[in-house]
Amino acid sequence: LSAQLEQLRGNLKVLANIAALSVDPEMVRAIPLTRAGVQTEAFRAVSEKLVMIKQENPLIGYIYILARTDREKTLQFVADADPYLAKKGNVTAYPGDPYDATPFPQMLAGFKAPSVDPDIAEDSWGKMISGYAPIRDKQGETVAILGIDVMASDIYEAQKAISGWIFLVL
């Protein structure tokens, strides 16, 4: 089970990196960081790309893009595969909505290089393990990060299936 989790972490890091490379950094920059940003062509183009990535990878729970703010550990949403569906209470993923990254050092590390959470973590959207990768422009400057969450319930389901096979073999 430990090896499976480590393999998932590796796959998640690679997936986040490949997905980040497929996102147009200039379109990300063009999204106004306000709720009205969802009405722009840039948001639609980036969001459609995220939806396509999510549809090709059924383990993805959430896929989103975050940018830095002027506060050290506070990021802001730029785009999400499904901002309207991501609502839970007052939690949203609209452009400009803040996100406290303090409990997630790997998220902040994602601005420099692809990274992944060491363990399952929890935030307002639930329990998950997440991978992050920088979205860079042609000059190599990081514009934002792309994050991918795999829900803990899916991880537990896979672990349960593996445990069943181990029991059967024994």
Side-chain angles (χ1 to χ4, degrees):
L1 296 178
S2 173
Q4 284 294 110
L5 186 59
E6 193 57 36
Q7 182 179 4
L8 172 66
R9 290 180 70 245
N11 291 343
L12 193 52
K13 185 188 265 187
V14 169
L15 179 59
N17 195 33
I18 291 170
L21 291 171
S22 72
V23 174
D24 181 347
E26 296 312 315
M27 290 297 252
V28 171
R29 276 194 175 123
I31 298 171
L33 297 179
T34 64
R35 287 186 177 237
V38 297
Q39 304 301 324
T40 65
E41 185 57 40
F43 179 87
R44 278 192 284 280
V46 171
S47 185
E48 285 173 8
K49 175 63 84 173
L50 297 179
V51 168
M52 194 169 61
I53 294 166
K54 185 176 177 179
Q55 288 172 344
E56 293 294 321
N57 299 278
L59 269 182
I60 294 176
Y62 296 109
I63 181 169
Y64 47 87
I65 296 173
L66 295 164
R68 291 188 186 274
T69 66
D70 54 358
R71 295 190 309 256
E72 185 180 341
K73 294 184 179 179
T74 300
L75 304 178
Q76 58 189 337
F77 282 97
V78 177
D80 191 286
D82 44 14
Y84 303 105
L85 301 177
K87 280 187 168 184
K88 282 195 171 187
N90 290 329
V91 178
T92 63
Y94 289 96
D97 284 351
Y99 185 84
D100 180 11
T102 304
F104 305 101
Q106 292 308 116
M107 181 182 287
L108 297 169
F111 281 92
K112 293 182 181 171
S115 62
V116 65
D117 292 334
D119 295 306
I120 293 172
E122 185 173 7
D123 69 4
S124 302
W125 281 272
K127 292 182 180 181
M128 64 205 74
I129 190 165
S130 304
Y132 316 97
I135 298 171
R136 293 192 171 108
D137 63 15
K138 290 179 183 175
Q139 291 74 37
E141 179 186 334
T142 299
V143 172
I145 59 167
L146 181 135
I148 295 177
D149 301 337
V150 174
M151 306 311 291
S153 57
D154 294 333
I155 296 168
Y156 297 144
E157 196 64 37
Q159 287 178 333
K160 191 165 71 172
I162 292 167
S163 295
W165 279 103
I166 291 170
F167 179 73
L168 183 64
V169 169
L170 290 176

